[in-house]
Protein backbone atom coordinates (compact mmCIF):
# COMPACT_ATOMS: atom_id res chain seq x y z
CA UNK A 1 0.00 0.00 0.00
CA UNK A 2 0.94 3.65 -0.27
CA UNK A 3 2.43 5.46 2.71
CA UNK A 4 0.47 8.42 4.11
CA UNK A 5 2.91 10.86 2.54
CA UNK A 6 2.54 9.31 -0.91
CA UNK A 7 -1.24 9.27 -0.55
CA UNK A 8 -1.15 13.03 0.07
CA UNK A 9 1.05 13.56 -2.99
CA UNK A 10 -1.31 11.45 -5.08
CA UNK A 11 -4.32 13.45 -3.88
CA UNK A 12 -2.57 16.71 -4.77
CA UNK A 13 -1.68 15.39 -8.22
CA UNK A 14 -5.28 14.34 -8.83
CA UNK A 15 -6.52 17.81 -7.81
CA UNK A 16 -3.94 19.54 -10.03
CA UNK A 17 -4.88 17.28 -12.95
CA UNK A 18 -8.59 17.93 -12.36
CA UNK A 19 -7.97 21.68 -12.28
CA UNK A 20 -5.93 21.55 -15.48
CA UNK A 21 -8.58 19.41 -17.15
CA UNK A 22 -11.34 21.86 -16.21
CA UNK A 23 -9.28 24.79 -17.52
CA UNK A 24 -8.64 23.03 -20.84
CA UNK A 25 -12.30 22.06 -21.26
CA UNK A 26 -13.41 25.62 -20.50
CA UNK A 27 -10.89 27.22 -22.80
CA UNK A 28 -11.50 25.00 -25.80
CA UNK A 29 -15.24 24.70 -25.44
CA UNK A 30 -16.16 28.13 -24.19
CA UNK A 31 -13.64 30.56 -25.62
CA UNK A 32 -16.27 32.07 -27.87
CA UNK A 33 -15.73 34.60 -30.61
CA UNK A 34 -17.17 38.12 -30.30
CA UNK A 35 -19.90 37.21 -32.80
CA UNK A 36 -20.91 34.13 -30.79
CA UNK A 37 -20.98 36.12 -27.55
CA UNK A 38 -23.01 38.92 -29.18
CA UNK A 39 -25.59 36.46 -30.52
CA UNK A 40 -25.87 34.68 -27.16
CA UNK A 41 -26.11 37.99 -25.28
CA UNK A 42 -29.00 39.10 -27.51
CA UNK A 43 -30.80 35.80 -26.90
CA UNK A 44 -30.19 35.86 -23.13
CA UNK A 45 -31.41 39.47 -22.91
CA UNK A 46 -34.61 38.56 -24.78
CA UNK A 47 -35.16 35.61 -22.40
CA UNK A 48 -34.51 37.84 -19.40
CA UNK A 49 -37.13 40.36 -20.58
CA UNK A 50 -39.58 37.49 -21.15
CA UNK A 51 -39.08 36.15 -17.61
CA UNK A 52 -39.43 39.48 -15.84
CA UNK A 53 -41.02 42.72 -16.99
CA UNK A 54 -39.80 44.31 -13.73
CA UNK A 55 -36.25 43.31 -14.69
CA UNK A 56 -36.74 44.81 -18.14
CA UNK A 57 -37.93 48.06 -16.56
CA UNK A 58 -34.86 48.19 -14.26
CA UNK A 59 -32.55 47.39 -17.19
CA UNK A 60 -34.03 50.38 -18.99
CA UNK A 61 -32.95 52.64 -16.11
CA UNK A 62 -29.52 51.03 -15.59
CA UNK A 63 -26.26 52.76 -16.58
CA UNK A 64 -24.86 49.43 -17.73
CA UNK A 65 -25.90 45.80 -18.07
CA UNK A 66 -23.48 42.90 -17.87
CA UNK A 67 -24.86 39.77 -19.55
CA UNK A 68 -23.40 36.28 -19.14
CA UNK A 69 -25.61 34.06 -21.33
CA UNK A 70 -24.24 30.72 -20.18
CA UNK A 71 -22.39 30.23 -16.92
CA UNK A 72 -21.42 26.59 -16.68
CA UNK A 73 -20.96 24.92 -13.35
CA UNK A 74 -18.83 21.82 -13.62
CA UNK A 75 -16.33 19.79 -11.75
CA UNK A 76 -15.83 16.83 -9.54
CA UNK A 77 -14.84 17.49 -5.95
CA UNK A 78 -13.31 20.91 -6.47
CA UNK A 79 -15.20 22.48 -9.29
CA UNK A 80 -15.98 25.89 -10.48
CA UNK A 81 -18.09 27.91 -12.78
CA UNK A 82 -17.21 29.94 -15.81
CA UNK A 83 -18.95 32.02 -18.44
CA UNK A 84 -18.23 34.73 -20.97
CA UNK A 85 -20.36 37.73 -21.74
CA UNK A 86 -20.54 41.40 -22.60
CA UNK A 87 -21.12 44.76 -20.98
CA UNK A 88 -23.87 46.76 -22.66
CA UNK A 89 -24.02 50.54 -22.18
CA UNK A 90 -26.76 52.56 -23.93
CA UNK A 91 -27.61 49.60 -26.14
CA UNK A 92 -24.02 49.09 -27.35
CA UNK A 93 -21.45 46.44 -26.42
CA UNK A 94 -18.51 48.22 -24.79
CA UNK A 95 -16.44 45.26 -23.62
CA UNK A 96 -16.24 41.50 -23.15
CA UNK A 97 -15.82 39.83 -19.76
CA UNK A 98 -15.64 36.47 -18.09
CA UNK A 99 -17.09 35.44 -14.75
CA UNK A 100 -15.49 32.69 -12.71
CA UNK A 101 -15.97 31.21 -9.27
CA UNK A 102 -14.42 28.25 -7.54
CA UNK A 103 -16.72 25.99 -5.63
CA UNK A 104 -15.91 23.18 -3.29
CA UNK A 105 -18.30 20.32 -2.94
CA UNK A 106 -19.54 17.55 -5.13
CA UNK A 107 -21.08 18.63 -8.39
CA UNK A 108 -21.40 15.98 -10.98
CA UNK A 109 -22.56 17.08 -14.37
CA UNK A 110 -22.63 20.55 -15.79
CA UNK A 111 -25.47 22.97 -15.27
CA UNK A 112 -25.75 26.13 -17.31
CA UNK A 113 -27.57 29.29 -16.37
CA UNK A 114 -27.65 32.93 -17.40
CA UNK A 115 -26.48 35.74 -15.15
CA UNK A 116 -27.21 39.44 -15.59
CA UNK A 117 -25.81 42.26 -13.47
CA UNK A 118 -27.31 45.75 -13.65
CA UNK A 119 -25.19 48.76 -12.65
CA UNK A 120 -27.88 51.25 -11.68
CA UNK A 121 -25.77 54.43 -11.67
CA UNK A 122 -22.69 55.83 -13.43
CA UNK A 123 -20.56 55.71 -10.27
CA UNK A 124 -20.81 51.91 -9.79
CA UNK A 125 -20.46 51.36 -13.55
CA UNK A 126 -17.25 53.45 -13.68
CA UNK A 127 -15.82 51.61 -10.63
CA UNK A 128 -16.53 48.31 -12.35
CA UNK A 129 -15.02 49.41 -15.68
CA UNK A 130 -11.85 50.77 -14.08
CA UNK A 131 -11.17 47.63 -12.01
CA UNK A 132 -8.54 45.08 -12.98
CA UNK A 133 -10.66 42.22 -11.72
CA UNK A 134 -13.94 42.88 -9.98
CA UNK A 135 -15.06 40.57 -7.19
CA UNK A 136 -18.70 40.37 -6.13
CA UNK A 137 -19.05 40.98 -2.40
CA UNK A 138 -15.64 42.68 -2.22
CA UNK A 139 -15.59 45.41 -4.87
CA UNK A 140 -19.34 45.77 -4.96
CA UNK A 141 -22.27 44.05 -3.39
CA UNK A 142 -24.68 42.46 -5.87
CA UNK A 143 -28.27 42.37 -4.60
CA UNK A 144 -29.88 39.19 -5.96
CA UNK A 145 -33.31 40.02 -7.36
CA UNK A 146 -36.24 37.96 -6.20
CA UNK A 147 -39.74 38.42 -7.55
CA UNK A 148 -42.70 38.98 -5.31
CA UNK A 149 -46.37 38.52 -6.10
CA UNK A 150 -47.32 39.73 -9.55
CA UNK A 151 -43.71 39.61 -10.72
CA UNK A 152 -42.62 42.77 -8.94
CA UNK A 153 -39.07 43.06 -7.57
CA UNK A 154 -38.57 43.53 -3.83
CA UNK A 155 -38.49 47.32 -3.24
CA UNK A 156 -35.26 47.23 -1.19
CA UNK A 157 -33.50 45.28 -3.95
CA UNK A 158 -34.83 47.67 -6.59
CA UNK A 159 -33.06 50.53 -4.76
CA UNK A 160 -29.69 48.75 -4.67
CA UNK A 161 -26.87 50.22 -6.83
CA UNK A 162 -25.99 46.79 -8.30
CA UNK A 163 -28.71 44.24 -8.95
CA UNK A 164 -28.14 40.70 -10.15
CA UNK A 165 -30.42 38.19 -11.82
CA UNK A 166 -29.72 34.49 -12.23
CA UNK A 167 -32.07 32.45 -14.39
CA UNK A 168 -32.41 29.22 -16.29
CA UNK A 169 -34.84 28.51 -19.11
CA UNK A 170 -37.38 27.72 -16.37
CA UNK A 171 -37.23 31.17 -14.80
CA UNK A 172 -35.41 33.13 -12.12
CA UNK A 173 -33.35 31.25 -9.52
CA UNK A 174 -33.20 32.48 -5.93
CA UNK A 175 -31.06 29.95 -4.09
CA UNK A 176 -27.80 31.16 -5.61
CA UNK A 177 -25.47 34.06 -5.02
CA UNK A 178 -22.89 36.15 -6.86
CA UNK A 179 -20.63 36.22 -3.77
CA UNK A 180 -17.09 35.16 -4.62
CA UNK A 181 -17.55 35.48 -8.39
CA UNK A 182 -14.69 37.28 -10.07
CA UNK A 183 -15.29 39.25 -13.26
CA UNK A 184 -12.36 39.97 -15.56
CA UNK A 185 -12.16 41.91 -18.82
CA UNK A 186 -11.29 39.81 -21.86
CA UNK A 187 -8.98 41.02 -24.62
CA UNK A 188 -11.28 40.56 -27.57
Amino acid sequence: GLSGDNKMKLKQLVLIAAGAFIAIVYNSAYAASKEEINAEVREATANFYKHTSAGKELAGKASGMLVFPSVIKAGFGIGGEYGEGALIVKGKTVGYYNIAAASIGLQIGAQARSEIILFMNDKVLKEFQSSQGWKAGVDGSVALATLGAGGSIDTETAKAPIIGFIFSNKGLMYNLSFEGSKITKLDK
Side-chain angles (χ1 to χ4, degrees):
L2 288 167
S3 71
D5 201 30
N6 282 342
K7 273 194 185 135
M8 274 304 294
K9 283 197 179 113
L10 193 66
K11 260 197 183 138
Q12 284 170 335
L13 271 176
V14 168
L15 287 179
I16 292 164
F21 172 73
I22 290 166
I24 291 162
V25 170
Y26 283 153
N27 289 338
S28 59
Y30 308 117
S33 68
K34 278 185 184 177
E35 290 71 29
E36 283 174 295
I37 293 175
N38 291 344
E40 287 175 7
V41 163
R42 279 194 296 274
E43 193 182 332
T45 305
N47 283 341
F48 171 57
Y49 291 163
K50 244 189 339 222
H51 285 309
T52 165
S53 55
K56 182 177 185 175
E57 200 181 310
L58 279 175
K61 296 177 191 162
S63 296
M65 176 163 89
L66 194 53
V67 183
F68 295 105
S70 182
V71 178
I72 307 258
K73 193 178 183 91
F76 192 90
I78 293 187
E81 43 199 79
Y82 182 83
E84 292 183 351
L87 177 64
I88 317 288
V89 176
K90 297 183 179 68
K92 290 193 177 64
T93 299
V94 296
Y96 296 91
Y97 292 83
N98 68 24
I99 186 165
S103 50
I104 303 208
L106 198 62
Q107 300 110 16
I108 301 171
Q111 303 148 293
R113 56 175 185 263
S114 299
E115 298 186 359
I116 287 183
I117 297 174
L118 301 179
F119 295 97
M120 297 309 294
N121 62 54
D122 292 347
K123 181 179 175 283
V124 288
L125 177 62
K126 289 241 167 15
E127 283 169 4
F128 170 74
Q129 287 182 287
S130 62
S131 70
Q132 286 307 305
W134 191 90
K135 202 162 185 187
V138 178
D139 298 304
S141 185
V142 181
L144 184 68
T146 57
L147 296 188
S152 64
I153 289 173
D154 173 73
T155 46
E156 282 308 299
T157 306
K159 288 185 213 151
I162 306 171
I163 306 170
F165 297 82
I166 300 177
F167 56 97
S168 68
N169 47 11
K170 294 185 183 74
L172 286 179
M173 301 163 93
Y174 305 134
N175 54 344
L176 299 163
S177 157
F178 283 94
E179 289 290 304
S181 294
K182 188 167 190 232
I183 300 169
T184 313
K185 196 170 195 316
L186 295 170
D187 299 323
K188 284 194 186 281

